[in-house]
Amino acid sequence: MTSAEIRQSFLDFFAKQGHTLVPSSSLLPDSPGLLFTNAGMNQFVPIFLGDRAPDVSKWAGVKPAKDTRAADTQKCIRAGGKHNDLEDVGFDTYHHTMFEMLGNWSFGDYFKKESIRWGWELITKVWGIPAKRLFATVYSPDKSKNDPSEFDQEAYDIWAEIFRAAGLDPAVHIVNGNKKDNFWMMGDTGPCGPCSEIHFNLLPSDDEAAGRKLVNASSPRCIEIWNHVFIQFNANADGTFSPLAAKHVDTGMGFERVAGIYATTNGFKDFAKDPSNYAADVFAPLFAKVAALSGKTYTATVPTKREGLTEQENIDVAFRVLADHARCVSCAIADGILPGNEGRNYVIRRILRRGILYGKKLGLQAGFFEQLVAPVVESLGAVFPELVQQQSIVQRVIRSEEESFGRTLDRGLQIFGKAASAGAISGASAFELYDTYGFPLDMTQLLATERGLTVDAAGFEAEMEKQRERGRAAQKKEILVAATEGDAAVDLKPTTFLGYAQTEAHAQLIEIIKADKDTFLVFDRTPFYAEMGGQTGDTGTALINGTLVQIVDCVKDKAGRHLHKAAVSDQLSALSSGAAATLSVDLGRRRAINRHHSAAHLIHWALRKVLGTHVRQAGTSKTADRMRFDFSHFEAVTHAQLLEVEQLVNGKVIDNAKVDTYETEFDKKPEGTLAFFGDKYGKFVRVVDIGGYSRELCGGTHVATTGEIGLIKIVAEMAIAAGTRRIEAVAGQPAYELVATREAALAAVSAHLGGGASDVVKKLEALLAQQKETEKQLKAFQQKALAGLADELAAKAVARDGLKFVSGVVAVSDQEVLRSLGSQVLAKLGEGVVQLGAALGDKASLVAFCSPAAIKAGHQAGKIIQNLSAQIGGKGGGKPDFAMGGGKDIAKLGAVLGG
């Protein structure tokens, strides 16, 4: 079987058992707190938690025979965060950053008996793996640690029956496992249960006792290939376990492991060779491409240590790293995870840069990594069609990253070499490599390990913390902490927010907080929006016992209370807590903010439509006057693309679509709703749905229909960091004012050109062409005049010691003309020294030229200018043959130059 046939046979087998085949979910997980999709079960978590009823048709796109059984192959990334295999990739043959997990699931349907028996049937009967080489693990709690769970007798009995039927001794082939190896938990509390792993003895001999000893011993000669998790309990806060009303099955098989074992064992028959995932033919196109680019050969050698590798070991490690990293980076970018500076995006950047570094070890030329995308698509495109659809985007993103890193890589390696000469890499040096040259810490550690050196990781982290402190200190807004948890007199209940439906409300003044020169008012309820999610806080008034207080801002404290900043006034001293108040939001300002917030959602939707689904919000600001939208993208947005975005959003404004807002459980939000990594969401979230095409989780305020926005105009587009762009735009009244200002400017230009607005471009082009011709003629006249002036100056040269000297003040238009004149004079002198000065605006400029003979005689232009500039209150310098300078004291220019 080929790797593709192994994958397909797994899926076909479970399709015959009534499972619906579902596509792989995106590597960009639905859960904002998760770096990457790292297991096949990720997309089914809401079902296991009981938050969603089984509905396989949601993933399959068709109505299945059963909604309670599913199977798929899931792309997974384990690099960064809790699951991190990155540093092992390349140095062994079974770790990957990106891998496929074959899986089948039962949602309250079949349980242990069917799962285990089907697993046994597939691997022994369909694939032909020798039964004698297989071992099963079952859960056995450690009673010495007061573990309240029970031995998984049910799984043991099923396995015992299977092994006896195969003529094998259950006592040898069933291995008890502890909580670490054989009990799965989603968290400290929640769904959990025992699991049963299938291990494959890959020793040259099929000796059962020898194979048993290697189970769970981290040996490459006895590998776990399939884990069957039986979710049957709920873990309680007190450490006890309660049976679940519905029991589930979640299995996961390492596809590359099985395909690699099949390839190295000649169809599970010959076990002489060491097993290798990289022997699977899914890696063959990549190895072939790396070999063609490098002229080197892969021999599958595996080093026994991390430093002092032989040349061939280094080559083979590099081949494996490039093959793995190209797959990971390509699949991530195809799913919209672009290399960047934070979170999951930074992990992808690290992986890409690690790959580039290994390519350099093979002598590969800059730009090689982009060429690895095609073999990835060749290998995986049929099963993951998004790779085919996004191939061009993937290549362009990688090309941009390679160019960016290439500009600093060589310099960074030189800095590393200097740091390494000290015998160890200090934290400061490691931080410099990271901060200035883009070297992730693990890359520096890798380079150091190869030389047998250590890296001061603690020192690096200390430098990182200093930088974080500098960043926190530079933040313009402080996080106001209005009360301490230990202050029992202060009510720390969150303020009830009424502002989605009301802009005026009656409330009670709870507290008056003094913070430096500012005064903040806390009410039990409020229609004022507190700054959050990039939306600025509301302003307005508070009428308190007849005293009208201006509210100039609204923020939140850590307790979730709205702090209304009051304008400085003598009347504040008359306020007391407990007073009744009428709060009124500045309605005109709030509506302007709403327009900009809804416009930001529309621009996000349009950018994803025009540029691609890799576009993700990276930061935003919405005020009454403007909006700013930062987003992930790898290159400048063209003028044509910006026009298309603007046309799309204004088309939606004209459509006057309804803007729906509603709360729902996070795990029940509609398919395609955008959530943002790093944001913390509770069980319930607020969805903002514009016309069914733009759907985001958002706590801000919005227009009721898109028509209220009026008009959206993009003002600017720019880069703010590698892989991050920014759009600034205006909506509503500010957009009208922008258009009006531009129209007035156009009318003024048209009037000056003597034409209408429709032909202003044509008239301007004609005028510019005429100006260009005039400048050309003027330059010719200037050159003639300059040549004549050069003749005059040369004629006044003073001969001394075999050299000619020219010194004087001239009238020229700019420094470049002064320099040209000096050069011409020296050419006419032959051998000598020229020093000229000119008054240019409110400053004096100087130039000096020395011929080779003058330099040999001890004259140097740089020293001449340094001396002359000092005499007129300035500075300057340059090379021995030419120098420039200047100063502020124009009056002394003639005296300094002797005329």
Side-chain angles (χ1 to χ4, degrees):
M1 292 186 292
T2 63
S3 297
E5 289 169 341
I6 290 173
R7 183 195 294 115
Q8 193 60 48
S9 68
F10 177 94
L11 298 174
D12 289 346
F13 178 85
F14 282 101
K16 289 179 182 177
Q17 316 309 326
H19 291 66
T20 298
L21 303 184
V22 299
S24 171
S25 65
S26 170
L27 285 166
L28 185 67
D30 200 24
S31 170
L34 196 62
L35 271 178
F36 303 101
T37 298
N38 59 21
M41 54 82 67
N42 286 168
Q43 63 180 318
F44 304 117
V45 166
I47 296 175
F48 297 142
L49 288 172
D51 292 335
R52 179 182 291 154
D55 181 10
V56 174
S57 57
K58 166 179 158 47
W59 292 278
V62 296
K63 185 65 179 174
K66 279 178 172 272
D67 260 334
T68 52
R69 298 181 183 183
D72 76 355
T73 180
Q74 172 65 53
K75 294 172 295 183
C76 301
I77 290 181
R78 290 188 179 175
K82 181 180 177 181
H83 299 289
N84 188 7
D85 294 334
L86 178 59
E87 293 180 12
D88 293 321
V89 173
F91 288 94
D92 62 32
T93 60
Y94 51 90
H95 276 106
H96 302 287
T97 54
M98 197 288 291
F99 61 94
E100 290 182 57
M101 186 178 287
L102 297 167
N104 60 285
W105 292 272
S106 165
F107 308 119
D109 191 336
Y110 63 82
F111 202 47
K112 295 180 186 178
K113 184 175 181 180
E114 294 87 346
S115 179
I116 292 173
R117 287 190 174 278
W118 283 336
W120 182 260
E121 181 183 348
L122 173 65
I123 63 178
T124 61
K125 301 294 192 292
V126 178
W127 288 351
I129 294 178
K132 194 176 182 181
R133 287 186 172 272
L134 297 174
F135 298 85
T137 62
V138 297
Y139 176 59
S140 178
D142 186 347
K143 292 303 180 183
S144 67
K145 296 183 178 179
N146 298 318
D147 191 332
S149 55
E150 298 295 329
F151 175 72
D152 193 355
Q153 189 66 52
E154 183 181 1
Y156 182 92
D157 291 343
I158 296 168
W159 278 117
E161 184 179 344
I162 287 173
F163 282 119
R164 287 194 195 100
L168 301 170
D169 184 357
V172 174
H173 285 267
I174 301 176
V175 180
N176 291 344
N178 59 22
K179 197 166 188 176
K180 173 179 174 291
D181 292 321
N182 282 91
F183 197 90
W184 177 85
M185 297 186 70
M186 187 173 290
D188 293 334
T189 60
C192 59
C195 60
S196 182
E197 299 170 341
I198 300 175
H199 292 252
F200 195 162
N201 170 20
L202 300 170
L203 291 167
S205 165
D206 63 3
D207 182 88
E208 294 161 273
R212 178 188 172 86
K213 288 181 181 179
L214 297 182
V215 173
N216 280 334
S218 299
S219 169
R221 280 292 190 168
C222 189
I223 296 178
E224 173 209 338
I225 59 170
W226 204 352
N227 189 15
H228 293 239
V229 179
F230 308 118
I231 304 173
Q232 63 187 102
F233 300 115
N234 184 71
N236 303 312
D238 62 1
T240 60
F241 296 91
S242 305
L244 290 173
K247 298 176 180 180
H248 313 291
V249 172
D250 161 30
T251 86
M253 173 187 284
F255 165 66
E256 289 84 0
R257 286 188 177 185
V258 174
I261 293 169
Y262 186 91
T264 50
T265 60
N266 190 25
F268 307 129
K269 296 181 181 66
D270 181 0
F271 295 87
K273 296 180 181 178
D274 287 330
S276 171
N277 293 12
Y278 292 92
D281 56 26
V282 288
F283 294 98
L286 280 155
F287 282 170
K289 187 63 176 180
V290 174
L293 291 172
S294 67
K296 294 179 171 58
T297 303
Y298 179 69
T299 64
T301 57
V302 181
T304 56
K305 55 188 184 304
R306 295 295 177 97
E307 68 277 346
L309 273 60
T310 66
E311 181 181 357
Q312 190 57 50
E313 284 175 337
N314 272 316
I315 289 172
D316 289 347
V317 168
F319 265 74
R320 288 189 289 270
V321 167
L322 290 175
D324 172 89
H325 289 10
R327 285 163 33 106
C328 179
V329 171
S330 297
C331 289
I333 295 172
D335 280 348
I337 308 173
L338 270 61
N341 290 330
E342 295 180 351
R344 61 171 68 95
N345 306 91
Y346 181 61
V347 175
I348 298 304
R349 174 166 284 167
R350 283 174 57 198
I351 293 171
L352 176 54
R353 291 186 171 184
R354 188 173 187 261
I356 292 171
L357 187 65
Y358 271 97
K360 196 171 183 69
K361 294 175 184 292
L362 293 178
L364 297 179
Q365 298 300 309
F368 78 90
F369 207 96
E370 177 193 350
Q371 298 182 59
L372 302 182
V373 175
V376 172
V377 175
E378 177 188 342
S379 173
L380 299 177
V383 65
F384 304 123
E386 59 274 9
L387 279 168
V388 179
Q389 297 159 7
Q390 301 291 332
Q391 181 173 351
S392 175
I393 290 287
V394 174
Q395 288 173 318
R396 287 162 58 196
V397 171
I398 291 176
R399 183 188 314 143
S400 175
E401 279 291 308
E402 281 191 280
E403 290 172 353
S404 174
F405 187 44
R407 288 191 285 270
T408 59
L409 177 59
D410 290 337
R411 179 62 181 150
L413 290 173
Q414 290 175 10
I415 297 298
F416 174 83
K418 290 181 180 178
S421 63
I425 308 299
S426 68
S429 294
F431 181 76
E432 180 189 6
L433 286 166
Y434 161 80
D435 193 44
T436 306
Y437 301 101
F439 280 38
L441 178 61
D442 56 353
M443 182 185 292
T444 300
Q445 290 171 323
L446 175 68
L447 292 167
T449 300
E450 291 176 346
R451 300 192 184 193
L453 304 176
T454 59
V455 177
D456 180 7
F460 172 85
E461 184 54 38
E463 294 294 329
M464 280 290 291
E465 184 56 32
K466 289 179 186 177
Q467 186 183 64
R468 295 187 193 107
E469 285 295 338
R470 289 191 292 270
R472 286 191 283 266
Q475 287 181 346
K476 293 182 179 179
K477 284 192 176 281
E478 296 179 357
I479 299 173
L480 183 67
V481 181
T484 62
E485 293 182 7
D487 189 350
V490 177
D491 183 0
L492 292 177
K493 291 182 179 179
T495 304
T496 300
F497 178 59
L498 309 171
Y500 290 135
Q502 301 172 227
T503 55
E504 186 169 297
H506 298 295
Q508 184 180 32
L509 179 61
I510 300 296
E511 187 182 359
I512 302 168
I513 300 170
K514 299 287 187 179
D516 294 327
K517 297 179 181 179
D518 296 325
T519 300
F520 293 89
L521 308 179
V522 181
F523 302 92
D524 62 338
R525 45 195 282 172
T526 184
F528 281 74
Y529 185 87
E531 180 174 342
M532 184 176 61
Q535 179 174 327
T536 190
D538 279 332
T539 63
T541 60
L543 183 62
I544 308 170
N545 282 348
T547 299
L548 188 66
V549 177
Q550 295 294 325
I551 304 299
V552 296
D553 197 4
C554 186
V555 295
K556 266 188 184 182
D557 67 7
K558 290 183 177 180
R561 302 185 306 169
H562 288 229
L563 310 179
H564 304 72
K565 184 177 179 180
V568 177
S569 169
D570 294 338
Q571 294 175 310
L572 295 179
S573 60
L575 302 179
S576 59
S577 57
T582 300
L583 306 181
S584 302
V585 172
D586 182 335
L587 186 57
R589 183 174 179 276
R590 164 72 83 81
R591 285 176 173 169
I593 294 169
N594 292 351
R595 285 190 283 269
H596 282 112
H597 200 149
S598 298
H601 283 227
L602 289 178
I603 285 176
H604 192 186
W605 162 79
L607 285 169
R608 288 170 62 84
K609 191 172 182 67
V610 173
L611 304 180
T613 54
H614 63 278
V615 168
R616 307 283 295 186
Q617 178 179 308
T620 182
S621 171
K622 285 85 64 170
T623 70
D625 302 319
R626 55 179 282 283
M627 62 139 289
R628 186 198 77 223
F629 186 79
D630 300 341
F631 58 100
S632 54
H633 190 52
F634 51 90
E635 62 186 4
V637 184
T638 66
H639 179 66
Q641 289 170 330
L642 287 174
L643 280 178
E644 186 177 357
V645 167
E646 195 171 85
Q647 288 168 354
L648 282 170
V649 296
N650 282 298
K652 294 303 183 184
V653 168
I654 294 169
D655 285 346
N656 197 30
K658 185 180 179 183
V659 179
D660 284 319
T661 58
Y662 55 89
E663 281 198 352
T664 185
E665 291 183 40
F666 179 84
D667 291 315
K668 293 182 179 179
K669 62 186 182 298
E671 187 74 13
T673 302
L674 296 179
F676 305 106
F677 178 68
D679 286 2
K680 294 182 179 179
Y681 297 106
K683 184 175 182 180
F684 289 92
V685 292
R686 185 167 180 266
V687 177
V688 175
D689 186 331
I690 303 179
Y693 48 81
S694 167
R695 196 179 294 118
E696 298 185 16
L697 299 187
C698 176
T701 62
H702 289 267
V703 297
T705 65
T706 58
E708 290 181 33
I709 297 172
L711 174 68
I712 300 172
K713 290 297 294 181
I714 294 174
V715 177
E717 191 276 343
M718 66 199 77
I720 59 169
T724 306
R725 311 290 304 180
R726 170 174 293 174
I727 276 182
E728 294 182 352
V730 287
Q733 184 66 26
Y736 167 77
E737 291 171 358
L738 175 69
V739 171
T741 301
R742 288 180 175 178
E743 283 189 343
L746 180 60
V749 172
S750 299
H752 280 297
L753 293 175
S758 59
D759 61 357
V760 66
V761 173
K762 187 182 297 183
K763 285 188 171 289
L764 183 59
E765 286 176 346
L767 185 62
L768 289 173
Q770 181 182 345
Q771 180 187 359
K772 189 174 181 180
E773 182 60 31
T774 302
E775 287 176 350
K776 184 178 177 182
Q777 293 173 359
L778 178 60
K779 190 172 182 180
F781 290 134
Q782 285 177 336
Q783 287 295 331
K784 289 181 181 179
L786 209 58
L789 182 56
D791 286 334
E792 282 184 39
L793 290 169
K796 296 177 182 179
V798 177
R800 189 171 63 248
D801 300 326
L803 299 171
K804 293 181 179 180
F805 295 81
V806 170
S807 180
V809 179
V810 295
V812 293
S813 58
D814 55 53
Q815 282 187 327
E816 189 58 39
V817 174
L818 181 62
R819 176 176 178 169
S820 177
L821 177 59
S823 177
Q824 290 184 44
V825 174
L826 183 64
K828 293 180 182 296
L829 294 182
E831 294 288 352
V833 176
V834 177
Q835 53 188 44
L836 301 175
L840 300 175
D842 59 352
K843 292 182 181 179
S845 290
L846 296 164
V847 295
F849 291 85
C850 292
S851 68
I855 295 171
K856 191 174 181 180
H859 303 283
Q860 291 191 13
K863 290 183 179 180
I864 292 171
I865 289 297
Q866 191 174 16
N867 176 47
L868 294 175
S869 297
Q871 294 180 57
I872 59 171
K875 58 183 179 179
K879 298 178 181 180
D881 62 334
F882 167 68
M884 294 187 75
K888 298 179 180 178
D889 202 340
I890 299 175
K892 291 184 179 180
L893 195 58
V896 167
L897 291 171

